[in-house]
Amino acid sequence: MGNDEEARIVQLYRDHNRYMVAGDTKKLGVLLDANFHLVHMTGMVQSKQKWLQDIDTKQMNYFSSTEENVEVQMKNDHQADLIGQSRVNASIHGGRNIWPLQLTLHVEKFADDWKIMNINAAMY
C-alpha cells in the first residue's frame, strides 16, 4: 500500500478541486459515489445530485482553489481519509468570499478506482 495509493488519493482531491473550479459537473460526478453527500461548513447536507445542480446553475460558483496542505490517513487497503486545506474563492448563493476551506474526503476503493463517499467542509 502506502505512497502509490496515497498519491492516487491526493490526485483525486486535486481533480475534485479542478473540476469544481471548471464547473465540470460531468467529470466531478464521476469522482463521487452514487450515494455521495456533502456537509457544508454551515452544517447543510447536500446530495450529489443537488450539489452538482447548484454548480450547474451557478448557485455555487467556484472561481479558484489554492491548495495549502494535504494529508492522507489510510484506514486500510480500501478506505482512507484525506484532509485538504485550500483557499477557495467562491460565490455561494450570492455571497462571494475567499474561504480557508478544509475538506475531509472519505474515500473508498472499488476494484481499482477510488471514489469520494462524502465530504465534510469546515474553515481552518
Side-chain angles (χ1 to χ4, degrees):
M1 194 54 144
N3 292 341
D4 288 344
E5 293 302 314
E6 288 177 17
R8 289 181 66 200
I9 294 166
V10 169
Q11 188 59 53
L12 179 67
Y13 170 71
R14 290 177 176 156
D15 289 345
H16 163 270
N17 286 339
R18 184 168 34 119
Y19 299 149
M20 195 174 70
V21 169
D24 191 336
T25 54
K26 286 187 180 23
K27 288 183 180 175
L28 183 58
V30 170
L31 305 180
L32 310 175
D33 184 72
N35 296 314
F36 168 88
H37 68 272
L38 169 64
V39 180
H40 291 273
M41 63 180 135
T42 62
M44 179 179 75
V45 179
Q46 271 191 314
S47 68
K48 173 181 179 175
Q49 295 75 17
K50 178 64 175 138
W51 184 49
L52 296 177
Q53 179 184 16
D54 278 357
I55 294 171
D56 280 337
T57 61
K58 305 288 188 211
Q59 291 296 308
M60 295 189 174
N61 196 1
Y62 302 93
F63 301 102
S64 67
S65 179
T66 305
E67 183 179 302
E68 294 191 333
N69 189 49
V70 178
E71 175 187 336
V72 176
Q73 300 168 348
M74 297 301 300
K75 294 180 177 182
N76 53 47
D77 289 350
H78 62 275
Q79 292 180 320
D81 291 335
L82 178 143
I83 300 168
Q85 296 176 329
S86 299
R87 298 275 173 186
V88 177
N89 182 347
S91 174
I92 306 298
H93 300 289
R96 186 166 178 175
N97 201 354
I98 298 174
W99 285 277
L101 193 62
Q102 177 172 297
L103 299 180
T104 302
L105 281 65
H106 305 284
V107 300
E108 289 190 23
K109 188 175 183 184
F110 297 95
D112 198 40
D113 288 330
W114 286 95
K115 291 282 188 184
I116 302 171
M117 305 306 291
N118 60 68
I119 297 175
N120 293 341
M123 293 199 329
Y124 64 98

